[in-house]
Amino acid sequence: MHFVSWVRQDRSRRFYRTVFRPELKNAHRKFAVFTHHGALSRLAKTYLYLYGTWLPGARYQLDSREDFEVYIRPVVSPDDPANEVKLFIPIQ
């Protein structure tokens, strides 16, 4: 079963600090963080590279927690080359 949530972030970034920051600072919960730049249609290729190439060659193992994305700026168009998405991959 998969769950998807979407929350609009206000300019204060209060939601980001409140929800994500404590978990990221927890020493027992590590994430590899990557930034996808460009069209969202290429996001799947970025994930394929991370899980299929980077992770098998890295010194880390995938943790059982869910990965998640943080959109850095509002998406004006899915094809906008200025799109930025932070990808958080749980590792151990």
Side-chain angles (χ1 to χ4, degrees):
M1 183 176 293
H2 295 276
F3 297 94
V4 177
S5 66
W6 178 85
V7 177
R8 183 178 176 100
Q9 179 178 323
D10 65 9
R11 293 192 186 271
S12 71
R13 296 182 179 257
R14 187 175 308 137
F15 176 79
Y16 179 81
R17 285 194 304 267
T18 303
V19 175
F20 295 118
R21 190 173 175 196
E23 185 173 13
L24 292 175
K25 288 185 126 187
N26 186 333
H28 301 289
R29 298 186 178 264
K30 296 180 184 175
F31 291 88
V33 182
F34 302 89
T35 304
H36 170 85
H37 297 275
L40 299 182
S41 61
R42 300 189 50 83
L43 193 56
K45 289 184 180 185
T46 301
Y47 274 110
L48 286 174
Y49 171 78
L50 293 176
Y51 282 103
T53 303
W54 178 82
L55 190 58
R59 62 182 182 171
Y60 304 104
Q61 294 180 346
L62 184 63
D63 196 22
S64 61
R65 295 168 289 128
E66 295 291 326
D67 59 21
F68 63 92
E69 304 167 356
V70 174
Y71 289 76
I72 303 303
R73 52 178 67 116
V75 176
V76 176
S77 167
D79 297 323
D80 187 352
N83 289 331
E84 283 187 57
V85 183
K86 291 279 188 192
L87 310 173
F88 292 78
I89 310 296
I91 55 174
Q92 54 183 355

